[in-house]
Amino acid sequence: MKRFIVLVAMAAALLTACKDPLNTDTLPSYASGEKQGHISYQLLIYSFADSDGDGIGDFNGIRSKLDYLDALGVSAIWLSPAHPADSYHGYDVTDYSALNPKYGTEADFKALLDAAHAKGIKIYMDYVLNHTGKGHPWFAAAKKSESSSYFNWYNISANPAADYAAGKFPTLNGYYPNEWHDITVGDVGYKGRLHFKVDFSGSTKTLTVTESSAPAQSSNTDSSVQMFVWQGYSGKAERMYRSAGEVYEITLDVDSDWGVLIRTSDSTWDNGTKWGAPAGKNVLSFGTPLALSNTDAQDILFGQATRMKYQGAFGSWMPDLNYGSVATAEQSGPFVALAETVDKWIGMGVDGLRLDAVKHIYSNETGTQNPSFLGKWYDRCNASYRKTHSEDFYMVAEVWMGAGQVAPYYKGLPACFEFDFWERLKWVLNQRTGCYFAKDLMGYRRLYAAQRSNAIAATKLTNHDETRAATVLGRDLAKLKQAAAFLMTAEGEPYIYQGEELGYWGKDSDDGGRDELVRTPIVWDRAATSAQKDLGGHIDLTLLTDEISVENQKKDANSLLNTYFHWTQARNRSKALSSGKMSAHAIYNDSNTGLKSIAAWYMTATDGDRALVLHNVGSSAVTLELGGDKLSKQLASLGEVSVSGSTVTLGASSSVVFQQ
Ligand code: MG
């Protein structure tokens, strides 16, 4: 704001004068309605803040840190999936209508919503529409039987290639064998009518099982026959009928979670009376005799189970949902059921959704199906929301592609993440070439606007699936600070990812690291308490230090956190920065490659409020002649900025915003 207004004693200034005006332990605060910057915070429930000391973040923990998020200028929080799930990260949901008990109760969640709303902070839930967890009861029912009403909620087939070719899977565009996973015996057991034939006449005893349409028989009442089919947990041991000599047969309706055994006694297991499959050969093929063993009697499992496969683009633990043809998707079982769960959360006070992996719902990423489907989904949710609200529901989608491929998704949705923002910005900062940035960004926005006039570009640096910004920028604090300044001065609605404001580093699994390493818990204080239990020990301990803690960075005027406080305040308090459209500077633009380190643009709000944004991403100072601009009022600055008459000198990695 006021640093280095007069360029004097620069050498001394370099050593001593980099004090931030926010050198205070008191958090910034906002008056009611003052936060207009549309700044959101992406938060991982499990590793953000733990209120009860069990090492797992929770709703009450988030509620206890709302002052911090408020100070960051945040007006919305995107929560990682809050539903019950089998994994720590929660993207394999097992019940969309409930909350993960690890995170707290519905009352805790409601208390978080109410407390956040009292601070003008909205809450967005993460919704996974592409797939459920393998443990979801819908999938448990679907995989058990083709007659289940849930069977068609997923893509399940005994012959995926042929069924795909026959058009049975409308959400799939391409048959990819590696996306199809076996339904294992343990998954389904068997339900149906089977004929059993036991042959004890030879030295090798055999069991032959065939699928049957003959009438089922009741258990033989002739107690002289000691040969039984045992389905296990139900306790039923059905006595077979002697058909010839030592050959026994029976036709039964089988309903077993695991398979069968053959017994030569219905009262004892002893003396080798239990006959099963030899180890390693326990999956029986219908029609093929299975050699029985009474010394290593493994459960006899039915080949039927392994004939069936299901499709899951993200692996076997996440079966994809099948919404049918997009023309009728809104009538499909999973669409209707999922929408009803959203109604519940809207009723509780949830303000919006972040949609996961939407380009995979219909697996032609660049076709028209996903935008069409998402439009129906948005309209359904918005209609629910509008029953009790006068504004539209918020929804932002993860469409992980370039801007040109993201743009069509705005046909269906108000907001999409802009992955190209970070792709360009990291290049700008690492190549120290800023002159093309504004032109590139404006180009992306024209693509979106062609699809939706009020398209929201959700800008960001990195998320929970990407190598951390700090690692990409070589843990160069000056670059990290400038990344924050770019994010808060560009057109769009920015997201800050948990820990980014603290300079957290780490490589994700795509870069030879681990996903947990980019999901590190927040270290709140010098005692280094943090919610790390769910990360299974996969934590870079060098991150969990006093030095990087919130407590320490609040006190350090030169910390990255204080830089974030500074720039988020500037954005929130400037209409031009918060809601303005970008336009090129007349001199310092993509044509001025002689000063390629300069990124410059105007931000202009609809009411005419206007700001000039200047960034020097170079490693040396640059002096700019700005005779056509007003230089009297700085809204924000970073690094060494000096004004003299109509010139501005920007030191290395320096930024400034002037009110126009
Ligand atoms: Mg906890």
Side-chain angles (χ1 to χ4, degrees):
M1 312 239 189
K2 55 183 174 32
R3 286 169 293 176
F4 309 109
I5 299 297
V6 180
L7 185 60
V8 286
M10 184 58 87
L14 279 171
L15 290 173
T16 62
C18 291
K19 295 294 180 194
D20 192 290
L22 293 164
N23 182 14
T24 169
D25 201 27
T26 306
L27 292 170
S29 63
Y30 290 89
S32 177
E34 195 180 18
K35 284 190 290 186
Q36 58 183 336
H38 300 288
I39 301 166
S40 296
Y41 190 86
Q42 178 193 354
L43 171 161
L44 309 171
I45 303 172
Y46 51 86
S47 67
F48 183 69
D50 173 25
S51 70
D52 57 5
D54 67 355
I56 299 171
D58 44 51
F59 300 131
N60 289 337
I62 299 166
R63 184 157 57 90
S64 75
K65 300 301 181 187
L66 286 174
D67 283 346
Y68 172 76
L69 296 172
D70 195 45
L72 256 184
V74 164
S75 55
I77 302 168
W78 152 23
L79 299 175
S80 63
H83 303 121
D86 288 325
S87 69
Y88 78 89
H89 53 65
Y91 285 97
D92 51 347
V93 176
T94 56
D95 186 355
Y96 293 83
S97 65
L99 298 169
N100 195 322
K102 289 192 300 186
Y103 304 152
T105 64
E106 287 194 7
D108 297 335
F109 187 62
K110 178 72 171 128
L112 168 62
L113 286 164
D114 291 346
H117 291 166
K119 290 186 179 296
I121 298 174
K122 296 182 172 182
I123 300 286
Y124 305 150
M125 291 184 94
D126 204 325
Y127 248 69
V128 190
L129 301 179
N130 178 67
H131 53 260
T132 69
K134 192 178 176 186
H136 198 293
W138 300 341
F139 186 64
K143 71 189 181 181
K144 269 195 187 302
S145 169
E146 289 182 59
S147 60
S148 165
S149 57
Y150 296 100
F151 185 79
N152 288 324
W153 290 31
Y154 297 88
N155 300 315
I156 303 177
S157 170
N159 192 340
D163 282 349
Y164 173 73
K168 285 183 72 172
F169 307 118
T171 61
L172 302 184
N173 290 275
Y175 170 65
Y176 303 103
N178 64 351
E179 288 189 356
W180 288 86
H181 314 285
D182 288 335
I183 293 178
T184 62
V185 175
D187 281 334
V188 292
Y190 186 86
K191 187 171 186 178
R193 187 163 300 166
L194 297 175
H195 179 78
F196 294 83
K197 180 179 178 183
V198 170
D199 187 342
F200 260 49
S201 59
S203 57
T204 300
K205 321 297 185 194
T206 63
L207 168 68
T208 305
V209 181
T210 50
E211 292 175 291
S212 175
S213 56
Q217 294 171 278
S218 51
S219 188
N220 185 4
T221 56
D222 178 357
S223 59
S224 71
V225 176
Q226 288 295 302
M227 190 64 70
F228 304 87
V229 176
W230 190 58
Q231 294 187 48
Y233 309 123
S234 65
K236 281 193 296 186
E238 317 238 31
R239 195 185 305 269
M240 303 182 78
Y241 295 85
R242 188 190 305 272
S243 56
E246 289 293 293
V247 179
Y248 307 86
E249 301 186 56
I250 192 168
T251 300
L252 293 172
D253 281 330
V254 172
D255 184 4
S256 170
D257 287 337
W258 57 274
V260 297
L261 287 165
I262 301 299
R263 294 170 61 176
T264 53
S265 166
D266 65 346
S267 60
T268 177
W269 294 109
D270 300 338
N271 303 319
T273 61
K274 182 175 80 169
W275 293 75
K281 297 180 179 175
N282 59 340
V283 178
L284 172 148
S285 293
F286 290 131
T288 304
L290 174 78
L292 294 169
S293 168
N294 67 340
T295 56
D296 187 15
Q298 305 285 312
D299 297 344
I300 299 165
L301 309 172
F302 299 112
Q304 165 75 12
T306 55
R307 286 219 309 262
M308 301 293 270
K309 291 175 180 285
Y310 64 95
Q311 183 265 341
F314 287 85
S316 62
W317 65 97
M318 296 180 184
D320 280 17
L321 285 163
N322 171 22
Y323 296 95
S325 162
V326 74
T328 54
E330 72 278 16
Q331 299 162 28
S332 68
F335 188 105
V336 171
L338 285 167
E340 285 172 359
T341 68
V342 174
D343 292 343
K344 170 176 174 170
W345 305 121
I346 288 175
M348 197 178 278
V350 165
D351 305 282
L353 301 182
R354 177 266 181 185
L355 303 182
D356 182 58
V358 297
K359 72 179 186 180
H360 299 284
I361 296 173
Y362 286 82
S363 67
N364 63 340
E365 303 176 348
T366 57
T368 59
Q369 288 164 297
N370 286 318
S372 176
F373 172 88
L374 292 163
K376 292 180 176 194
W377 175 256
Y378 180 76
D379 290 347
R380 167 65 178 79
C381 296
N382 193 38
S384 176
Y385 187 77
R386 291 294 299 243
K387 287 177 187 168
T388 49
H389 297 78
S390 56
E391 75 276 19
D392 282 337
F393 195 51
Y394 179 83
M395 198 176 285
V396 61
E398 178 200 29
V399 186
W400 202 326
M401 293 190 286
Q405 294 164 310
V406 170
Y409 283 74
Y410 283 105
K411 282 180 188 151
L413 293 170
C416 296
F417 285 107
E418 186 175 64
F419 287 86
D420 270 353
F421 181 88
W422 176 235
E423 289 302 315
R424 294 312 296 149
L425 182 56
K426 68 188 181 189
W427 184 89
V428 164
L429 295 171
N430 279 336
Q431 301 303 316
R432 298 195 179 277
T433 302
C435 62
Y436 308 113
F437 183 78
K439 184 191 179 195
D440 289 346
L441 227 60
M442 288 187 286
Y444 305 155
R445 308 312 153 85
R446 279 193 296 275
L447 296 171
Y448 310 152
Q451 307 288 345
R452 178 183 287 258
S453 61
N454 56 350
I456 299 168
T459 51
K460 52 173 269 305
L461 304 184
T462 64
N463 67 23
H464 62 293
D465 285 326
E466 296 177 89
T467 288
R468 286 282 197 178
T471 297
V472 172
L473 299 178
R475 290 169 62 178
D476 179 326
L477 185 58
K479 287 182 180 176
L480 279 166
K481 289 180 175 181
Q482 205 160 27
F486 268 84
L487 185 62
M488 293 304 149
T489 54
E491 180 185 333
E493 298 192 359
Y495 277 72
I496 300 168
Y497 171 45
Q498 171 179 323
E500 205 159 61
E501 76 277 22
L502 302 169
Y504 278 13
W505 58 85
K507 285 184 182 177
D508 85 331
S509 55
D510 293 333
D511 288 333
R514 285 188 71 102
D515 291 341
E516 292 93 330
L517 296 176
V518 301
R519 302 169 183 182
T520 302
I522 296 289
V523 182
W524 290 102
D525 53 45
R526 290 165 190 268
T529 54
S530 63
Q532 54 179 283
K533 185 179 174 190
D534 260 7
L535 295 168
H538 301 297
I539 292 175
D540 180 352
L541 293 174
T542 64
L543 261 174
L544 301 183
T545 62
D546 290 358
E547 199 57 34
I548 206 163
S549 68
V550 170
E551 182 183 4
N552 201 54
Q553 291 205 37
K554 275 185 341 195
K555 291 188 163 85
D556 176 2
N558 287 312
S559 71
L560 183 59
L561 179 59
N562 267 313
T563 298
Y564 268 87
F565 286 151
H566 176 78
W567 286 90
T568 55
Q569 284 186 84
R571 183 181 181 89
N572 271 322
R573 289 172 177 160
S574 162
K575 189 134 194 202
L577 288 181
S578 59
S579 63
K581 300 283 185 197
M582 290 173 87
S583 59
H585 192 269
I587 302 167
Y588 303 106
N589 54 43
D590 62 296
S591 301
N592 198 336
T593 52
L595 280 175
K596 66 177 187 153
S597 71
I598 298 298
W601 62 84
Y602 296 106
M603 292 285 280
T604 308
T606 50
D607 69 353
D609 190 41
R610 187 170 164 89
L612 170 64
V613 177
L614 298 171
H615 302 282
N616 174 21
V617 299
S619 54
S620 55
V622 174
T623 297
L624 307 176
E625 170 59 43
L626 292 160
D629 296 302
K630 296 175 186 163
L631 306 176
S632 57
K633 184 180 179 189
Q634 293 185 27
L635 300 179
S637 71
L638 172 71
E640 300 160 25
V641 178
S642 62
V643 179
S644 177
S646 62
T647 67
V648 174
T649 298
L650 287 165
S653 300
S654 292
S655 302
V656 65
V657 179
F658 293 103
Q659 179 71 45
Q660 297 302 290

Short mmCIF file of all heavy atoms in Angstrom, two decimals, residues 8-51:
data_model
loop_
_atom_site.label_atom_id
_atom_site.label_comp_id
_atom_site.label_asym_id
_atom_site.label_seq_id
_atom_site.Cartn_x
_atom_site.Cartn_y
_atom_site.Cartn_z
N VAL A 8 14.40 5.71 -2.06
CA VAL A 8 15.61 6.22 -1.42
C VAL A 8 16.35 5.06 -0.79
O VAL A 8 15.74 4.10 -0.31
CB VAL A 8 15.29 7.27 -0.32
CG1 VAL A 8 14.89 8.59 -0.95
CG2 VAL A 8 14.23 6.75 0.63
N ALA A 9 17.63 5.20 -0.80
CA ALA A 9 18.49 4.24 -0.08
C ALA A 9 18.06 2.80 -0.36
O ALA A 9 17.79 2.03 0.55
CB ALA A 9 18.46 4.53 1.42
N MET A 10 17.98 2.48 -1.65
CA MET A 10 17.46 1.17 -2.02
C MET A 10 18.27 0.03 -1.41
O MET A 10 17.73 -0.99 -1.00
CB MET A 10 17.43 1.04 -3.54
CG MET A 10 16.83 -0.26 -4.02
SD MET A 10 15.14 -0.52 -3.43
CE MET A 10 14.25 0.33 -4.71
N ALA A 11 19.58 0.22 -1.35
CA ALA A 11 20.40 -0.86 -0.80
C ALA A 11 20.03 -1.14 0.64
O ALA A 11 19.85 -2.29 1.03
CB ALA A 11 21.88 -0.48 -0.91
N ALA A 12 19.87 -0.09 1.41
CA ALA A 12 19.47 -0.27 2.81
C ALA A 12 18.07 -0.85 2.88
O ALA A 12 17.80 -1.72 3.72
CB ALA A 12 19.53 1.07 3.55
N ALA A 13 17.23 -0.39 1.98
CA ALA A 13 15.85 -0.87 2.00
C ALA A 13 15.80 -2.37 1.77
O ALA A 13 15.01 -3.08 2.39
CB ALA A 13 15.03 -0.15 0.93
N LEU A 14 16.65 -2.85 0.89
CA LEU A 14 16.66 -4.28 0.60
C LEU A 14 16.92 -5.09 1.86
O LEU A 14 16.39 -6.17 2.03
CB LEU A 14 17.74 -4.58 -0.44
CG LEU A 14 17.37 -4.31 -1.89
CD1 LEU A 14 18.60 -4.45 -2.76
CD2 LEU A 14 16.27 -5.24 -2.33
N LEU A 15 17.76 -4.51 2.71
CA LEU A 15 18.12 -5.25 3.91
C LEU A 15 17.08 -5.14 5.01
O LEU A 15 16.86 -6.08 5.76
CB LEU A 15 19.46 -4.72 4.45
CG LEU A 15 20.68 -5.05 3.60
CD1 LEU A 15 21.91 -4.32 4.14
CD2 LEU A 15 20.92 -6.55 3.60
N THR A 16 16.43 -3.98 5.09
CA THR A 16 15.66 -3.74 6.31
C THR A 16 14.19 -3.42 6.10
O THR A 16 13.41 -3.57 7.04
CB THR A 16 16.26 -2.53 7.07
OG1 THR A 16 16.14 -1.39 6.22
CG2 THR A 16 17.70 -2.78 7.43
N ALA A 17 13.80 -3.01 4.93
CA ALA A 17 12.49 -2.38 4.83
C ALA A 17 11.40 -3.27 4.27
O ALA A 17 10.37 -2.79 3.87
CB ALA A 17 12.60 -1.10 4.01
N CYS A 18 11.63 -4.58 4.25
CA CYS A 18 10.60 -5.46 3.70
C CYS A 18 9.53 -5.77 4.74
O CYS A 18 8.97 -6.86 4.79
CB CYS A 18 11.22 -6.74 3.16
SG CYS A 18 12.20 -6.43 1.69
N LYS A 19 9.24 -4.85 5.61
CA LYS A 19 8.23 -5.07 6.64
C LYS A 19 6.84 -4.99 6.01
O LYS A 19 6.57 -4.11 5.21
CB LYS A 19 8.35 -4.03 7.75
CG LYS A 19 9.66 -4.15 8.52
CD LYS A 19 9.72 -5.47 9.29
CE LYS A 19 11.03 -5.57 10.05
NZ LYS A 19 11.25 -6.95 10.51
N ASP A 20 6.03 -5.89 6.43
CA ASP A 20 4.67 -5.89 5.92
C ASP A 20 3.80 -5.07 6.87
O ASP A 20 3.96 -5.17 8.09
CB ASP A 20 4.16 -7.33 5.85
CG ASP A 20 2.87 -7.41 5.07
OD1 ASP A 20 1.84 -6.92 5.56
OD2 ASP A 20 2.93 -7.96 3.96
N PRO A 21 2.91 -4.26 6.34
CA PRO A 21 2.03 -3.48 7.23
C PRO A 21 1.13 -4.37 8.08
O PRO A 21 0.52 -3.89 9.02
CB PRO A 21 1.22 -2.63 6.26
CG PRO A 21 1.31 -3.33 4.94
CD PRO A 21 2.65 -3.99 4.93
N LEU A 22 1.05 -5.65 7.76
CA LEU A 22 0.18 -6.54 8.52
C LEU A 22 0.95 -7.31 9.59
O LEU A 22 0.60 -8.40 9.96
CB LEU A 22 -0.50 -7.52 7.57
CG LEU A 22 -1.49 -6.86 6.62
CD1 LEU A 22 -1.82 -7.80 5.48
CD2 LEU A 22 -2.75 -6.45 7.35
N ASN A 23 2.05 -6.69 10.05
CA ASN A 23 2.82 -7.35 11.08
C ASN A 23 2.07 -7.27 12.41
O ASN A 23 2.31 -6.43 13.25
CB ASN A 23 4.20 -6.67 11.22
CG ASN A 23 5.04 -7.38 12.26
OD1 ASN A 23 4.72 -8.49 12.68
ND2 ASN A 23 6.10 -6.72 12.68
N THR A 24 1.18 -8.19 12.55
CA THR A 24 0.34 -8.16 13.74
C THR A 24 -0.13 -9.56 14.04
O THR A 24 -0.28 -10.38 13.15
CB THR A 24 -0.87 -7.24 13.52
OG1 THR A 24 -1.79 -7.45 14.59
CG2 THR A 24 -1.58 -7.57 12.22
N ASP A 25 -0.37 -9.82 15.28
CA ASP A 25 -0.92 -11.11 15.66
C ASP A 25 -2.44 -11.10 15.57
O ASP A 25 -3.10 -12.10 15.77
CB ASP A 25 -0.47 -11.46 17.07
CG ASP A 25 -0.55 -12.95 17.31
OD1 ASP A 25 -0.44 -13.72 16.32
OD2 ASP A 25 -0.73 -13.34 18.46
N THR A 26 -2.98 -9.93 15.29
CA THR A 26 -4.44 -9.81 15.20
C THR A 26 -4.86 -10.14 13.77
O THR A 26 -4.33 -9.61 12.82
CB THR A 26 -4.87 -8.37 15.54
OG1 THR A 26 -4.33 -8.04 16.80
CG2 THR A 26 -6.38 -8.27 15.56
N LEU A 27 -5.83 -11.01 13.66
CA LEU A 27 -6.27 -11.39 12.32
C LEU A 27 -7.06 -10.27 11.68
O LEU A 27 -7.75 -9.51 12.36
CB LEU A 27 -7.17 -12.63 12.42
CG LEU A 27 -6.47 -13.92 12.85
CD1 LEU A 27 -7.50 -15.00 13.14
CD2 LEU A 27 -5.53 -14.39 11.76
N PRO A 28 -6.94 -10.16 10.35
CA PRO A 28 -7.80 -9.18 9.67
C PRO A 28 -9.27 -9.51 9.93
O PRO A 28 -9.63 -10.67 10.15
CB PRO A 28 -7.46 -9.41 8.19
CG PRO A 28 -6.17 -10.13 8.16
CD PRO A 28 -6.11 -10.92 9.44
N SER A 29 -10.10 -8.50 9.91
CA SER A 29 -11.53 -8.75 10.08
C SER A 29 -12.32 -7.92 9.07
O SER A 29 -11.82 -6.93 8.54
CB SER A 29 -11.97 -8.42 11.50
OG SER A 29 -11.78 -7.04 11.75
N TYR A 30 -13.51 -8.36 8.82
CA TYR A 30 -14.33 -7.73 7.79
C TYR A 30 -15.63 -7.26 8.39
O TYR A 30 -16.21 -7.92 9.25
CB TYR A 30 -14.64 -8.73 6.66
CG TYR A 30 -13.42 -9.06 5.83
CD1 TYR A 30 -12.59 -10.11 6.19
CD2 TYR A 30 -13.11 -8.32 4.71
CE1 TYR A 30 -11.48 -10.41 5.44
CE2 TYR A 30 -12.00 -8.60 3.96
CZ TYR A 30 -11.17 -9.66 4.33
OH TYR A 30 -10.07 -9.94 3.58
N ALA A 31 -16.07 -6.12 7.89
CA ALA A 31 -17.42 -5.68 8.25
C ALA A 31 -18.42 -6.51 7.47
O ALA A 31 -18.09 -7.14 6.46
CB ALA A 31 -17.57 -4.20 7.91
N SER A 32 -19.63 -6.52 7.94
CA SER A 32 -20.68 -7.30 7.28
C SER A 32 -20.83 -6.86 5.82
O SER A 32 -20.91 -5.67 5.53
CB SER A 32 -22.01 -7.10 8.02
OG SER A 32 -23.02 -7.78 7.34
N GLY A 33 -20.82 -7.81 4.93
CA GLY A 33 -21.02 -7.51 3.52
C GLY A 33 -19.78 -7.01 2.81
O GLY A 33 -19.81 -6.71 1.61
N GLU A 34 -18.68 -6.90 3.52
CA GLU A 34 -17.47 -6.32 2.92
C GLU A 34 -16.73 -7.33 2.04
O GLU A 34 -15.96 -6.94 1.17
CB GLU A 34 -16.55 -5.82 4.03
CG GLU A 34 -15.46 -4.90 3.52
CD GLU A 34 -14.55 -4.40 4.64
OE1 GLU A 34 -14.55 -5.01 5.73
OE2 GLU A 34 -13.85 -3.43 4.40
N LYS A 35 -16.94 -8.60 2.29
CA LYS A 35 -16.23 -9.62 1.51
C LYS A 35 -16.95 -9.82 0.18
O LYS A 35 -17.91 -10.55 0.08
CB LYS A 35 -16.16 -10.94 2.29
CG LYS A 35 -15.13 -10.92 3.39
CD LYS A 35 -14.90 -12.31 3.97
CE LYS A 35 -16.09 -12.78 4.74
NZ LYS A 35 -15.84 -14.07 5.42
N GLN A 36 -16.44 -9.16 -0.83
CA GLN A 36 -17.08 -9.26 -2.14
C GLN A 36 -16.19 -9.97 -3.15
O GLN A 36 -16.50 -10.03 -4.32
CB GLN A 36 -17.42 -7.86 -2.66
CG GLN A 36 -16.20 -6.95 -2.77
CD GLN A 36 -16.54 -5.54 -3.22
OE1 GLN A 36 -17.56 -5.32 -3.86
NE2 GLN A 36 -15.68 -4.59 -2.89
N GLY A 37 -15.07 -10.54 -2.67
CA GLY A 37 -14.07 -11.06 -3.59
C GLY A 37 -14.34 -12.46 -4.13
O GLY A 37 -13.59 -12.96 -4.95
N HIS A 38 -15.43 -13.09 -3.66
CA HIS A 38 -15.75 -14.45 -4.11
C HIS A 38 -14.55 -15.38 -3.94
O HIS A 38 -14.18 -16.12 -4.85
CB HIS A 38 -16.22 -14.48 -5.56
CG HIS A 38 -17.44 -13.67 -5.81
ND1 HIS A 38 -18.68 -14.04 -5.37
CD2 HIS A 38 -17.61 -12.48 -6.44
CE1 HIS A 38 -19.57 -13.13 -5.73
NE2 HIS A 38 -18.96 -12.17 -6.37
N ILE A 39 -13.93 -15.31 -2.76
CA ILE A 39 -12.77 -16.16 -2.49
C ILE A 39 -13.26 -17.41 -1.75
O ILE A 39 -13.95 -17.30 -0.73
CB ILE A 39 -11.74 -15.42 -1.62
CG1 ILE A 39 -11.27 -14.15 -2.35
CG2 ILE A 39 -10.56 -16.33 -1.30
CD1 ILE A 39 -10.52 -13.18 -1.44
N SER A 40 -12.93 -18.57 -2.29
CA SER A 40 -13.31 -19.83 -1.66
C SER A 40 -12.06 -20.55 -1.15
O SER A 40 -10.95 -20.30 -1.62
CB SER A 40 -14.05 -20.74 -2.64
OG SER A 40 -15.27 -20.15 -3.04
N TYR A 41 -12.29 -21.43 -0.20
CA TYR A 41 -11.19 -22.20 0.40
C TYR A 41 -11.51 -23.67 0.27
O TYR A 41 -12.58 -24.12 0.68
CB TYR A 41 -11.06 -21.81 1.87
CG TYR A 41 -9.83 -22.33 2.58
CD1 TYR A 41 -8.64 -21.62 2.54
CD2 TYR A 41 -9.87 -23.50 3.32
CE1 TYR A 41 -7.50 -22.08 3.21
CE2 TYR A 41 -8.74 -23.97 4.00
CZ TYR A 41 -7.56 -23.25 3.93
OH TYR A 41 -6.45 -23.70 4.60
N GLN A 42 -10.61 -24.42 -0.33
CA GLN A 42 -10.78 -25.88 -0.44
C GLN A 42 -10.18 -26.53 0.79
O GLN A 42 -8.98 -26.38 1.06
CB GLN A 42 -10.09 -26.43 -1.69
CG GLN A 42 -10.24 -27.96 -1.77
CD GLN A 42 -9.34 -28.62 -2.78
OE1 GLN A 42 -8.64 -27.95 -3.53
NE2 GLN A 42 -9.35 -29.94 -2.79
N LEU A 43 -10.99 -27.27 1.49
CA LEU A 43 -10.59 -27.81 2.79
C LEU A 43 -10.82 -29.31 2.83
O LEU A 43 -11.83 -29.82 2.34
CB LEU A 43 -11.45 -27.07 3.81
CG LEU A 43 -11.52 -27.41 5.27
CD1 LEU A 43 -12.09 -26.20 5.99
CD2 LEU A 43 -12.41 -28.59 5.51
N LEU A 44 -9.86 -30.04 3.39
CA LEU A 44 -9.97 -31.49 3.58
C LEU A 44 -10.44 -31.72 5.01
O LEU A 44 -9.70 -31.43 5.96
CB LEU A 44 -8.62 -32.15 3.34
CG LEU A 44 -7.94 -31.75 2.02
CD1 LEU A 44 -6.50 -32.28 1.98
CD2 LEU A 44 -8.73 -32.26 0.83
N ILE A 45 -11.64 -32.22 5.15
CA ILE A 45 -12.21 -32.32 6.50
C ILE A 45 -11.28 -33.12 7.41
O ILE A 45 -11.04 -32.77 8.56
CB ILE A 45 -13.61 -33.00 6.46
CG1 ILE A 45 -14.55 -32.23 5.54
CG2 ILE A 45 -14.19 -33.08 7.87
CD1 ILE A 45 -15.88 -32.94 5.29
N TYR A 46 -10.71 -34.20 6.84
CA TYR A 46 -9.95 -35.14 7.68
C TYR A 46 -8.62 -34.57 8.17
O TYR A 46 -8.07 -35.08 9.14
CB TYR A 46 -9.71 -36.46 6.93
CG TYR A 46 -9.12 -36.29 5.54
CD1 TYR A 46 -7.75 -36.18 5.34
CD2 TYR A 46 -9.95 -36.25 4.42
CE1 TYR A 46 -7.22 -36.03 4.07
CE2 TYR A 46 -9.42 -36.11 3.14
CZ TYR A 46 -8.06 -36.00 2.96
OH TYR A 46 -7.55 -35.84 1.70
N SER A 47 -8.11 -33.56 7.50
CA SER A 47 -6.79 -33.07 7.92
C SER A 47 -6.75 -31.57 8.17
O SER A 47 -5.67 -30.99 8.26
CB SER A 47 -5.72 -33.47 6.89
OG SER A 47 -5.91 -32.80 5.67
N PHE A 48 -7.90 -30.92 8.30
CA PHE A 48 -7.90 -29.47 8.52
C PHE A 48 -7.76 -29.13 10.00
O PHE A 48 -6.77 -28.51 10.41
CB PHE A 48 -9.16 -28.85 7.93
CG PHE A 48 -9.20 -27.35 8.04
CD1 PHE A 48 -8.33 -26.56 7.31
CD2 PHE A 48 -10.12 -26.73 8.88
CE1 PHE A 48 -8.37 -25.17 7.41
CE2 PHE A 48 -10.17 -25.34 8.99
CZ PHE A 48 -9.29 -24.57 8.26
N ALA A 49 -8.73 -29.55 10.78
CA ALA A 49 -8.67 -29.22 12.21
C ALA A 49 -9.45 -30.27 13.00
O ALA A 49 -10.58 -30.59 12.66
CB ALA A 49 -9.25 -27.83 12.48
N ASP A 50 -8.82 -30.76 14.06
CA ASP A 50 -9.39 -31.83 14.88
C ASP A 50 -9.84 -31.25 16.22
O ASP A 50 -9.03 -30.70 16.95
CB ASP A 50 -8.32 -32.91 15.08
CG ASP A 50 -8.76 -33.99 16.06
OD1 ASP A 50 -9.97 -34.19 16.21
OD2 ASP A 50 -7.87 -34.63 16.64
N SER A 51 -11.11 -31.39 16.52
CA SER A 51 -11.62 -30.78 17.77
C SER A 51 -11.58 -31.72 18.96
O SER A 51 -11.57 -31.28 20.10
CB SER A 51 -13.07 -30.32 17.57
OG SER A 51 -13.93 -31.44 17.45
#
